[in-house]
Amino acid sequence: RWCFSVDLGGNGERFYNYKIKQNICIQTENNTSAIPFTNPRKPAATHRGLGWIDFEARKCFTNLDVSENYVCGINGWAFNGNGKISENVRICNNFIQRPPYPWRSAYPYVFEFYWVYSKNLNVRNNHIEGGSIKFGRNAYDMKIINNKFISTSVIPITNPYGNVVIKNNSGEGVRSQL
């Protein structure tokens, strides 16, 4: 279900120097899970969205680099920061496409940072199609530069402060603005 994941649980423990680089993650229309259902109205096999990265483990990060990845699938990246500061997070040079598959059991996001407080967030040169993006609760010193958003809902960080640079981003059919 997830290409990369950190097990659930935890209490804000810190991970250092993670790199998720130069991966190819593709979901086809034939991906199904044979999950037995007790409800007769649901089919025996259902399409499940492919998760790219799942950090729902209530952890935080120092020096997290997610770059140069090619992702085509219905789900993206879930990141639960447990209300702790994650610092030096770099998301650069990724191509992420969320095809409009009409499947059930799929989360709506490409990037979902919830309860994440960022310090030195750098989001550059990404091509993102479809889904929604939420970059977290607070950010100190953030750069969102030269990204292309196509049919994407981009929710800004609620409380940016420090040096904030948002420039040279483009959007086609975006459902909200930075």
Side-chain angles (χ1 to χ4, degrees), residues 2 53-56 76-80 109-114:
W2 295 97
I53 303 172
D54 186 20
F55 290 156
E56 292 201 54
W77 176 3
F79 181 3
N80 179 346
Y109 51 77
V110 173
F111 292 112
E112 176 79 17
F113 287 23
Y114 50 98

Side-chain angles (χ1 to χ4, degrees), residues 32-47 104-105:
T32 59
S33 298
I35 301 172
F37 287 99
T38 56
N39 185 343
R41 292 178 294 189
K42 292 185 179 180
T46 183
H47 289 286
R104 292 178 299 223
S105 300

Side-chain angles (χ1 to χ4, degrees), residues 6-174:
V6 177
D7 289 336
L8 293 175
N11 202 16
E13 294 86 358
R14 182 166 300 279
F15 292 149
Y16 294 91
N17 304 319
Y18 272 50
K19 291 183 181 182
I20 300 174
K21 296 181 73 168
Q22 299 177 340
N23 296 286
I24 297 173
C25 177
I26 299 174
Q27 176 182 21
T28 68
E29 292 188 73
N30 297 324
N31 291 83
T32 59
S33 298
I35 301 172
F37 287 99
T38 56
N39 185 343
R41 292 178 294 189
K42 292 185 179 180
T46 183
H47 289 286
R48 297 289 299 206
L50 175 66
W52 177 34
I53 303 172
D54 186 20
F55 290 156
E56 292 201 54
R58 296 191 310 257
K59 310 287 189 197
C60 57
F61 294 84
T62 295
N63 301 325
L64 173 62
D65 184 1
V66 179
S67 58
E68 302 170 28
N69 296 288
Y70 179 91
V71 179
C72 180
I74 200 72
N75 283 348
W77 176 3
F79 181 3
N80 179 346
N82 197 43
K84 309 287 188 211
I85 294 174
S86 285
E87 56 189 347
N88 301 326
V89 176
R90 181 178 183 269
I91 303 167
C92 297
N93 302 311
N94 296 291
F95 180 93
I96 302 169
Q97 181 182 44
R98 182 186 167 95
Y101 299 141
W103 298 346
R104 292 178 299 223
S105 300
Y107 300 109
Y109 51 77
V110 173
F111 292 112
E112 176 79 17
F113 287 23
Y114 50 98
W115 295 109
V116 174
Y117 295 82
S118 298
K119 183 176 180 183
N120 300 322
L121 173 64
N122 186 2
V123 181
R124 288 182 192 252
N125 303 319
N126 296 290
H127 178 106
I128 300 171
E129 293 184 27
S132 65
I133 298 171
K134 295 178 187 170
F135 285 124
R137 305 283 297 170
N138 287 27
Y140 178 79
D141 291 351
M142 100 181 170
K143 295 176 183 166
I144 301 177
I145 300 172
N146 294 329
N147 297 287
K148 185 170 187 179
F149 302 109
I150 299 174
S151 299
T152 302
S153 174
V154 181
I155 307 299
I157 292 176
T158 309
N159 299 304
Y161 58 101
N163 294 316
V164 176
V165 179
I166 300 175
K167 69 178 185 177
N168 296 331
N169 298 289
S170 65
E172 298 173 16
V174 293

